[in-house]
Amino acid sequence: MTNNNLESTFADILSFKPLINKAERIHSLTQIEEWLSEVATITQCNSIHMIGFQPLSPTSYHHHIVGTHCRDIEEETSLDLIYENCREYCSAYSIDLKGCAHALAIPIRGVSGILGSIFITSSAFFSSQQQEWYWSILGPHLLLALKRCLSKERINITKRERDCILWASEGKTSWEISQILGISERTVNFHLSNCIIKTNSANRQQAIVKYLFNHSL
């Protein structure tokens, strides 16, 4: 790489600083949508959307779509395929969206516990390689902003329920937890059942994942 190319690269990185600073002050999904609209204007794209995935298992997840045309993204794409691409961290790839001449999906990562994909639409051709480079810088900050927004909705559990689910996350059985906490095994199961209900989970394992993700910030 020549000195001129190096100087150009450093200049591009520095130009992202105001956007990164603004992303670090985001505390609502509405602010994320406004931030995406601003980036779309700067990069001369028609629109930019993002999907954030909260993994529950290799094949199951919660997802959050942010942008002005969320329904189109959800109806016209395969969320399972997008999730798989995010997990494998594949390169950017073209997608078909109604009324869009050019549409690109870019997997983004950078924050433990959450994955994402950026959707860019444009009436003119754009370089997927350049967009990948842009979002390799901006993506982690955007994911952290999304995680911060989602974590505001804390799961309200009691101290004893918290004790039980944390020991369960360490692989302890109900009987082992009862011995550690000095309560009956039946009481442990009662508290864990409450955790399953409060996290809207199907089982103990899912409740553990949701609780740990929700309280990781």
Side-chain angles (χ1 to χ4, degrees):
M1 183 179 288
T2 65
N3 288 336
N4 286 340
N5 286 337
L6 280 172
E7 290 175 2
S8 175
T9 299
F10 289 140
D12 285 340
I13 292 173
L14 288 174
S15 70
F16 287 131
K17 190 61 177 175
L19 288 172
I20 291 172
N21 288 340
K22 186 170 290 188
E24 291 174 346
R25 296 193 297 270
I26 288 175
H27 289 281
S28 72
L29 296 179
T30 299
Q31 289 177 319
I32 292 180
E33 186 174 321
E34 293 171 351
W35 187 89
L36 290 172
S37 295
E38 181 178 348
V39 176
T41 299
I42 293 172
T43 57
Q44 298 181 325
C45 296
N46 290 354
S47 68
I48 300 178
H49 293 71
M50 80 164 296
I51 299 182
F53 293 101
Q54 295 172 255
L56 303 176
S57 76
T59 57
S60 63
Y61 52 81
H62 287 313
H63 71 276
H64 303 267
I65 304 180
V66 185
T68 54
H69 299 90
C70 297
R71 182 173 297 179
D72 293 340
I73 297 291
E74 190 152 18
E75 291 179 351
E76 298 180 36
T77 60
S78 168
L79 291 179
D80 289 344
L81 180 59
I82 294 166
Y83 178 60
E84 181 180 347
N85 286 330
C86 288
R87 290 184 63 244
E88 299 297 328
Y89 197 47
C90 297
S91 300
Y93 55 97
S94 297
I95 56 174
D96 293 323
L97 287 177
K98 183 172 59 181
C100 297
H102 302 282
L104 192 70
I106 306 172
I108 54 174
R109 301 187 73 170
V111 179
S112 176
I114 191 167
L115 309 172
S117 188
I118 295 294
F119 289 82
I120 301 172
T121 65
S122 176
S123 55
F125 176 79
F126 49 75
S127 167
S128 61
Q129 186 176 16
Q130 185 179 48
Q131 291 291 340
E132 277 189 89
W133 187 79
Y134 286 164
W135 288 102
S136 69
I137 297 172
L138 295 176
H141 298 279
L142 184 58
L143 285 176
L144 186 59
L146 178 63
K147 188 172 182 179
R148 190 162 54 246
C149 294
L150 298 178
S151 69
K152 290 176 67 177
E153 301 177 3
R154 295 285 178 173
I155 297 170
N156 184 25
I157 69 174
T158 67
K159 180 182 182 302
R160 186 58 88 188
E161 289 166 352
R162 173 183 174 275
D163 292 339
C164 289
I165 201 168
L166 287 178
W167 280 116
S169 72
E170 296 291 333
K172 302 297 184 183
T173 66
S174 294
W175 182 84
E176 289 172 328
I177 296 171
S178 72
Q179 299 305 299
I180 293 169
L181 299 180
I183 56 180
S184 70
E185 185 175 356
R186 182 178 178 180
T187 301
V188 171
N189 289 331
F190 171 76
H191 289 315
L192 290 175
S193 293
N194 284 342
C195 290
I196 292 171
I197 294 170
K198 290 181 178 181
T199 58
N200 192 29
S201 300
N203 52 49
R204 182 181 301 191
Q205 288 70 33
Q206 188 178 16
I208 290 169
V209 171
K210 286 187 178 183
Y211 175 81
L212 293 179
F213 176 86
N214 190 264
H215 286 73
S216 61
L217 284 182

